[in-house]
Amino acid sequence: MSELQQYKCPCCNGAIEFNANAQKMVCPYCDNEFEMETLLSYDEALKNDTESSLEWETTAGSEWQEGETAGLRVYQCKSCGGEIVGDETTGATSCPYCGNPVVMMGQFAGALKPDYVIPFKYDKKAALEALKKHYGGKKLLPKAFKDQNHLEEVKGLYVPFWLYDTDVQANIRYRGTRTHTWSDSDYIYTETSYYSIIRNGSIGFEHVPVDGSTKIDDTLMESIEPFNFSEAVDFQTAYLAGYLADKYDVDSQASVERANERIKKSTEEAFASTVNGYATVFPESTSINLNNGVAKYALYPIWILTTSWNGQKYTFAMNGQTGKFVGDLPMDQSAYTKYLVGTTALVALIVFAIMFVIWLL
Amino acid sequence: MKNKLFTLLAIFALFMSTIGMIHAAPTTYIIDEFNVLSDDEINRMNDQAEKIEKESGIGVYFAYLENSEISDLDVTSIVGDKKDYFLMAENEEIWIIRAGGIMEEKVTDVDGDAFRKAYDSEDTYIGGVKAYLENVEQFIEDEEINVTVQSSEQDNDSQSGANEQNSTQENVTDNKESIVVKTTSNLYDGADLLSTDEENSLKQEIDEIIKKHKVDIAIATVQTTGNKAIDDYIAEYYDINGFGTGENRDGVLFLISMSERQYRILSNGLGAQAISSDDITSIGNNIVSDLTDGNYASAFHTFLSDCEYEINGEINGFPFPFGMNATIAAVGGFIVSLFTTGSMKNQLKSVSKQNKAKDYMKPGSMNLENSNEFFLYRTVSSQRKAKDDSDSSSRSSGSSRNVGGGSF
């Protein structure tokens, strides 16, 4: 049994949660609001208030076989005593019996503690509105998908990200071409001159994010970028109350390759922008040295919406900080054929009519 | 001693007669020691070079040399005693260009490079040689180089009485050929290119067009136009033989000269209104492949149907090309539709990888420490311009007239 934390209302003892609109902890029972600043010291106090949960361990039921519990963590709800089963990365969830939000303190303790968190700025209602807007204006979206679509799950999730800061020392050699064309009575001549272009210099990157969770599709997470790090705050577990949260399961060493790819590409482009007056420019050799590289651990707010249609699962994501909404949608094949044929016929008719009028003139 | 002297004299006489035979043999303009050209290709190129010499007096030579040291090349071994010549030769990828007489005065290094580039621009050996000859020929025409008179005089000075006799006979022949054929037939096959059945079929088609549109149509083939320019020949042929109907002598004439491998189309009066210079070019493009392949009857049928289409259009108005326009409209509509629906499909896709990190670049952190650019090398490529092989002209003789055509 691991350590579990609920935030109780000092007034009515109800479970309180973080409210994205108020940017405060709010009690859903008595509507009292609590400032986030007070929670830092409250967090410290809570760390010493964990022993009582151990008393509720039970030996009832059959014992787990060897290997069965390898990926599972079992917690006990402080409100109703119900058993909460999560996996090894679950950091925050809600009790399936009483619905109270709970935070698994042990998942974010010691070396596992995130450095930063960007609190949710958009709530569930905003996510649902964004989904409705996402459906709008798409003529090839099947009508049945919109009408019959019932969301299976809408969850606010703090996704673990690794943030990489680094100074790049770049030595890039580009190959550039200039062309000159002239002609005589029989031939058109094209002279292509080739140049070697050297650019040395430095450039800095900060907070390049890489998804540290294997549960979430990396491409989906990159699609909702960018995140504005200036709104990040020092991590406090209280921000997780009312949302789901995972701890990382891909470490910073394993994630750095993806950050390097993106940094290299942007470095090449940044220095290429200083090369002017050439018809074509492409990097021929790129040597990049990273200095002062630092990786930070942060939790970023994401709304995940999932639904199924015609046996296929569709996942949408919304950036909980900026509201950017993404998610691939199905295509209505019959509507596509209808538009293809209809547009062809309409345009052909107009072109034909214009040609006929020209012929008459 | 006497016997030895006779023997030596006999050998000398034999040697001299051999030289005479060599001298009398046809000139070899194309030498192929690489064996990359077929006999037929060599013959064709030789014919083309011979034509250039006949028209301008300039000997144009081309040689692939494998067994000769190009640095010590004796040009006379190729051009003989020709005074005015141009030679391009290759040996082990080393090229030499030599010019003699007036060509030495006229051809600059730039011109020489242009001939070489013309050769290089083709993918095949025969294509390269052909391009080389065409470019030199064009150069000779542009520079208006013609030394035929001088050459004749030189030849007359140096040649024997027998040769003089031959030359006289050729002139007589030329004079005979330059006389324009007189005929009243709308189909004259002096070059004997058509079978009887083909002639009958063409005559029937010609008669129908004349009867239907009251515009004269005629086709003529001749072996040569002699020393008369083909443009002048076709005009005289039309005028002398009284072709054309009505006051404006409305008509169209198609002429082929086999020796020059040239064709011309003349349109007059209403014919000229119906068939412009551009139409002549278009008709020429439609028939030139048939002419090149020797399908003369097919080329003439195409000419007649094209003429009837244009004349009918001029008289009655062109019908709206429904099928062609419907196809163009449908293809255009489909392409526009693909773009439109493609855009709609893209609206459904919003998940994609971010390959860059420019959003996370520290503002103002870029520091360019070293910036250097230097030239490496250059290449020059050439592409032949689309060449309009037809030349057209317009003359007036009381009514409008267009003449145009090309070679095949």
Side-chain angles (χ1 to χ4, degrees):
Chain A
M1 187 72 70
S2 300
E3 188 180 6
L4 196 64
Q5 180 59 52
Q6 285 182 355
Y7 291 91
K8 297 284 188 181
C9 175
C11 183
C12 67
N13 210 32
I16 59 174
E17 58 191 25
F18 182 77
N19 186 290
N21 293 325
Q23 293 289 299
K24 292 177 181 175
M25 296 295 280
V26 176
C27 175
Y29 306 103
C30 64
D31 290 337
N32 274 319
E33 296 182 354
F34 304 94
E35 292 296 334
M36 292 301 297
E37 285 74 12
T38 61
L39 295 171
L40 186 59
S41 53
Y42 193 45
D43 263 0
E44 292 300 320
L46 289 170
K47 284 177 184 171
N48 301 322
D49 191 23
T50 54
E51 291 177 4
S52 60
S53 62
L54 297 174
E55 296 172 7
W56 293 96
E57 283 185 84
T58 175
T59 55
S62 59
E63 290 189 1
W64 291 98
Q65 298 299 309
E66 190 178 352
E68 276 188 316
T69 58
L72 296 180
R73 296 286 186 277
V74 181
Y75 307 91
Q76 196 163 36
C77 178
K78 283 188 172 180
S79 292
C80 66
E83 199 168 64
I84 303 170
V85 179
D87 62 24
E88 58 190 353
T89 63
T90 303
T93 185
S94 58
C95 173
Y97 304 105
C98 66
N100 282 339
V102 292
V103 177
M104 289 68 173
M105 299 294 281
Q107 295 288 47
F108 303 109
L112 302 177
K113 183 188 175 188
D115 298 300
Y116 304 102
V117 59
I118 296 179
F120 273 92
K121 286 177 73 177
Y122 288 87
D123 61 10
K124 184 176 179 180
K125 188 179 167 192
L128 291 171
E129 282 175 3
L131 175 66
K132 196 186 286 183
K133 196 175 171 188
H134 188 61
Y135 287 163
K138 294 178 174 61
K139 293 175 179 170
L140 296 183
L141 180 66
K143 192 170 179 298
F145 182 82
K146 277 191 282 188
D147 296 345
Q148 301 168 10
N149 184 29
H150 299 291
L151 284 171
E152 292 176 353
E153 192 175 20
V154 181
K155 57 186 180 186
L157 178 65
Y158 278 105
V159 176
F161 275 86
W162 293 107
L163 309 182
Y164 295 93
D165 294 4
T166 186
D167 292 325
V168 179
Q169 186 65 37
N171 184 358
I172 307 175
R173 190 173 78 249
Y174 300 92
R175 178 64 62 92
T177 63
R178 287 177 181 151
T179 56
H180 168 56
T181 303
W182 72 98
S183 64
D184 57 20
S185 55
D186 294 322
Y187 287 89
I188 299 168
Y189 300 92
T190 304
E191 181 187 86
T192 306
S193 301
Y194 294 82
Y195 296 82
S196 190
I197 304 154
I198 311 294
R199 291 289 184 272
N200 291 340
S202 60
I203 191 168
F205 291 86
E206 57 185 358
H207 313 130
V208 179
V210 178
D211 172 17
S213 170
T214 55
K215 288 183 189 171
I216 307 290
D217 179 29
D218 290 351
T219 306
L220 191 67
M221 290 300 97
E222 288 184 9
S223 299
I224 56 170
E225 286 185 30
F227 291 94
N228 182 5
F229 186 79
S230 65
E231 294 177 354
V233 296
D234 289 340
F235 176 75
Q236 294 179 45
T237 51
Y239 283 110
L240 309 188
Y243 299 98
L244 305 176
D246 280 338
K247 79 178 186 72
Y248 69 85
D249 56 1
V250 183
D251 64 22
S252 63
Q253 284 301 316
S255 300
V256 75
E257 190 59 36
R258 179 64 187 146
N260 286 345
E261 285 173 18
R262 296 176 64 179
I263 288 170
K264 183 182 175 190
K265 185 82 177 167
S266 283
T267 302
E268 285 174 348
E269 278 199 359
F271 282 97
S273 68
T274 67
V275 181
N276 299 311
Y278 292 90
T280 61
V281 176
F282 62 90
E284 204 171 33
S285 160
T286 303
S287 168
I288 281 178
N289 292 317
L290 304 182
N291 302 317
N292 307 320
V294 176
K296 299 284 187 184
Y297 177 29
L299 297 182
Y300 278 178
I302 317 288
W303 282 101
I304 299 288
L305 302 86
T306 52
T307 186
S308 295
W309 189 71
N310 280 355
Q312 195 174 343
K313 187 178 178 185
Y314 293 89
T315 304
F316 307 97
M318 188 177 90
N319 186 320
Q321 180 193 30
T322 65
K324 184 178 179 183
F325 197 100
V326 300
D328 290 344
L329 293 164
M331 186 179 79
D332 186 339
Q333 192 59 46
S334 65
Y336 175 76
T337 307
K338 199 168 66 181
Y339 275 108
L340 187 70
V341 173
T343 311
T344 300
L346 183 66
V347 175
L349 198 65
I350 293 168
V351 172
F352 190 80
I354 291 170
M355 288 195 291
F356 186 71
V357 169
I358 291 171
W359 179 79
L360 286 176
L361 296 176
Chain B
M1 185 67 185
K2 277 184 180 177
N3 287 341
K4 283 184 179 176
L5 191 62
F6 276 125
T7 308
L8 281 172
L9 284 172
I11 291 169
F12 181 70
L14 185 64
F15 176 67
M16 292 304 290
S17 65
T18 308
I19 290 174
M21 284 169 67
I22 292 169
H23 189 72
T27 308
T28 301
Y29 299 93
I30 310 299
I31 297 169
D32 178 24
E33 292 179 357
F34 291 178
N35 290 324
V36 292
L37 301 175
S38 67
D39 290 344
D40 181 53
E41 287 171 341
I42 292 173
N43 289 337
R44 278 199 287 127
M45 293 302 100
N46 260 322
D47 289 347
Q48 191 171 344
E50 191 175 8
K51 176 174 160 277
I52 296 170
E53 180 161 10
K54 188 179 170 189
E55 291 173 352
S56 63
I58 306 296
V60 182
Y61 301 86
F62 184 92
Y64 290 122
L65 300 174
E66 193 165 54
N67 305 317
S68 313
E69 276 296 328
I70 204 154
S71 54
D72 302 328
L73 181 65
D74 178 10
V75 175
T76 56
S77 66
I78 297 173
V79 307
D81 59 355
K82 185 74 186 167
K83 183 184 165 212
D84 303 292
Y85 66 90
F86 188 83
L87 163 68
M88 191 161 90
E90 183 200 357
N91 172 259
E92 293 182 349
E93 299 190 351
I94 298 172
W95 288 85
I96 64 157
I97 290 176
R98 296 281 184 273
I102 193 169
M103 291 299 277
E104 190 175 5
E105 296 170 22
K106 295 279 187 182
V107 178
T108 64
D109 290 345
V110 175
D111 298 324
D113 284 347
F115 300 149
R116 167 74 199 288
K117 282 175 186 169
Y119 171 85
D120 285 342
S121 66
E122 298 296 329
D123 296 331
T124 61
Y125 289 104
I126 182 63
V129 177
K130 190 168 186 291
Y132 158 74
L133 289 175
E134 286 173 353
N135 272 263
V136 177
E137 184 180 15
Q138 188 64 46
F139 175 83
I140 290 168
E141 281 180 27
D142 293 344
E143 294 290 324
E144 297 180 347
I145 299 169
N146 192 324
V147 293
T148 48
V149 176
Q150 295 92 316
S151 297
S152 299
E153 285 171 358
Q154 285 170 2
D155 289 348
N156 288 340
D157 289 343
S158 60
Q159 282 173 353
S160 64
N163 283 343
E164 283 177 15
Q165 195 178 348
N166 286 341
S167 176
T168 310
Q169 282 174 351
E170 281 175 12
N171 287 338
V172 170
T173 309
D174 284 350
N175 287 338
K176 276 182 181 175
E177 288 293 346
S178 68
I179 297 169
V180 174
V181 173
K182 290 186 174 55
T183 177
T184 55
S185 172
N186 287 68
L187 178 62
Y188 170 74
D189 186 19
D192 198 20
L193 305 178
L194 302 168
S195 67
T196 307
D197 288 344
E198 287 170 342
E199 283 189 23
N200 291 336
S201 170
L202 286 165
K203 275 179 183 171
Q204 188 181 349
E205 193 172 349
I206 288 170
D207 290 343
E208 285 172 5
I209 295 172
I210 295 171
K211 189 178 173 185
K212 187 174 175 185
H213 299 295
K214 307 289 187 290
V215 174
D216 214 359
I217 302 280
I219 294 170
T221 71
V222 295
Q223 199 59 47
T224 176
T225 60
N227 55 9
K228 194 180 285 295
I230 191 168
D231 286 352
D232 296 332
Y233 191 97
I234 192 172
E236 282 188 34
Y237 186 98
Y238 190 85
D239 293 335
I240 289 171
N241 293 316
F243 285 109
T245 58
E247 187 184 343
N248 292 327
R249 301 189 56 211
D250 307 325
V252 187
L253 170 62
F254 184 89
L255 173 73
I256 281 180
S257 176
M258 289 305 291
S259 292
E260 292 82 13
R261 295 196 72 80
Q262 291 274 323
Y263 70 90
R264 287 292 184 277
I265 296 170
L266 179 149
S267 59
N268 197 70
L270 180 64
Q273 292 173 32
I275 300 169
S276 64
S277 295
D278 288 343
D279 294 328
I280 289 173
T281 303
S282 174
I283 294 170
N285 291 337
N286 290 342
I287 63 173
V288 72
S289 61
D290 272 342
L291 293 178
T292 306
D293 297 342
N295 302 324
Y296 299 104
S298 172
F300 296 151
H301 279 296
T302 305
F303 161 74
L304 291 173
S305 62
D306 286 356
C307 282
E308 188 187 9
Y309 176 81
E310 298 294 344
I311 292 167
N312 185 55
E314 183 63 25
I315 296 170
N316 303 316
F318 288 99
F320 182 67
F322 184 88
M324 186 181 73
N325 286 346
T327 305
I328 291 170
V331 171
F334 184 67
I335 291 168
V336 172
S337 182
L338 278 181
F339 277 107
T340 311
T341 51
S343 170
M344 290 178 182
K345 278 171 85 170
N346 284 339
Q347 287 181 332
L348 302 174
K349 296 281 177 193
S350 55
V351 176
S352 62
K353 272 183 127 178
Q354 301 285 331
N355 291 320
K356 299 168 195 170
K358 64 179 179 181
D359 291 318
Y360 307 101
M361 209 179 282
K362 282 186 203 167
S365 67
M366 188 173 155
N367 179 27
L368 189 60
E369 295 162 3
N370 179 23
S371 172
N372 192 14
E373 301 168 15
F374 55 89
F375 171 76
L376 293 174
Y377 62 96
R378 65 168 55 91
T379 60
V380 178
S381 62
S382 59
Q383 187 181 6
R384 182 185 281 274
K385 285 181 175 175
K387 203 168 182 180
D388 186 1
D389 199 28
S390 67
D391 49 339
S392 61
S393 58
S394 181
R395 299 179 188 176
S396 174
S397 57
S399 60
S400 60
R401 173 173 289 185
N402 298 314
V403 179
S407 55
F408 61 94

